[in-house]
Amino acid sequence: MDSKLLDTADRTRRTILTTVAVGGIGMLAGCLGGDGEGPDPVSLDQGQSCDYCNMRIEMHPGPVGEAFYGGDAPPSLPEDRENGIARFCSSSCTYNYLLENEEQGHEPQIAYGTDYSSVDYELTDDSGTTVISAHLSAEAFAELQDLNFVTNSDVEGAMGSSLIGFTDADDAAAFADEHGGEILTHDDITREVLSGLSA
C-alpha cells in the first residue's frame, strides 16, 4: 500500500481512538463532582461545620472540600443553603459524603478540594504526628477531578490519614517520594479506598 495512504489511515485511527478516549473521560468526570459547571468555590473560614462529621472546619489541619448540589441537595442539608452547598473538614469526609449521597441518587453539580499545588503549605509536628496546613480560601480549591491525591502518606489532616490533592502531578509525585503513600486520581476513590486509609 502507498506510504501516504498508510500514514493517512494511521492518523485517522489515532484521531478516532483519541476521540473515544476523551469521550470516555468526559463521561467519568460526570460522577462525584459534576460536569465542571456550577458555582465557583467559596471560602470556608467563617465558622462553618462539616456536613459529614459536624466538626468545625477552621479548627483542624489538612485538606478540606465542598460540593454544590443546586436544586438536588441531599435531605441532610438545610433547605436554605445557597446553591445547595455541602462543606467538609477533610478530604475523607468530602468523599464519604459524596459517595453516600450518590448511592441515594444525589450527585453534585461540581465539587472542590484543597489544591496543594496552589498554596504555600506547611508541615508541622502535632504531638509526634506530622500534619499539613489547612487552606480555607476560595483560591485554594480545585475541582476534584483535576486533583492527584497522595494517600496513606506519613502526613495527616483533620481525620488522620488524608487524601492530599495536587493539580500538578509532579508535585504529587515529589510529595509521595518524600512522605510515602500512593497516588490516586479522583476516579480511583471508592469506599474501599476510604476504609483503607490508615488512622
Side-chain angles (χ1 to χ4, degrees):
M1 185 181 283
D2 189 307
S3 62
K4 288 183 180 178
L5 287 175
L6 279 173
D7 184 50
T8 301
D10 188 47
R11 277 186 283 149
T12 302
R13 184 175 61 82
R14 281 195 307 258
T15 302
I16 291 170
L17 290 174
T18 301
T19 303
V20 169
V22 170
I25 291 168
M27 288 170 58
L28 287 174
C31 300
L32 284 187
D35 56 11
E37 294 183 10
D40 291 332
V42 299
S43 298
L44 297 179
D45 56 2
Q46 300 298 311
Q48 298 99 328
S49 293
C50 178
D51 285 307
Y52 187 73
C53 73
N54 295 317
M55 290 187 357
R56 190 167 166 184
I57 295 169
E58 61 190 327
M59 295 181 68
H60 302 281
V64 299
E66 57 189 37
F68 292 89
Y69 284 88
D72 186 33
S76 61
L77 290 179
E79 290 182 13
D80 61 351
R81 279 282 178 84
E82 185 175 359
N83 294 317
I85 184 176
R87 305 171 289 225
F88 310 105
C89 70
S90 69
S91 49
S92 57
C93 283
T94 302
Y95 274 102
N96 274 307
Y97 188 94
L98 291 175
L99 288 165
E100 284 184 15
N101 282 286
E102 182 191 35
E103 290 169 3
Q104 302 300 317
H106 300 282
E107 291 187 15
Q109 296 172 338
I110 196 165
Y112 299 99
T114 306
D115 172 20
Y116 282 93
S117 290
S118 71
V119 297
D120 292 324
Y121 63 86
E122 296 179 354
L123 301 179
T124 56
D125 182 87
D126 181 10
S127 303
T129 299
T130 303
V131 297
I132 193 166
S133 52
H135 298 272
L136 307 179
S137 68
E139 296 76 21
F141 290 101
E143 291 183 46
L144 290 181
Q145 61 258 32
D146 294 335
L147 294 172
N148 303 280
F149 294 100
V150 179
T151 67
N152 285 314
S153 71
D154 58 15
V155 177
E156 298 188 0
M159 302 299 281
S161 186
S162 292
L163 306 165
I164 300 173
F166 300 86
T167 49
D168 187 321
D170 290 338
D171 291 345
F175 189 91
D177 284 345
E178 186 170 353
H179 303 287
E182 91 180 279
I183 299 172
L184 300 176
T185 65
H186 169 68
D187 294 319
D188 296 326
I189 310 301
T190 62
R191 282 188 175 280
E192 291 72 28
V193 167
L194 295 172
S195 65
L197 289 175
S198 55

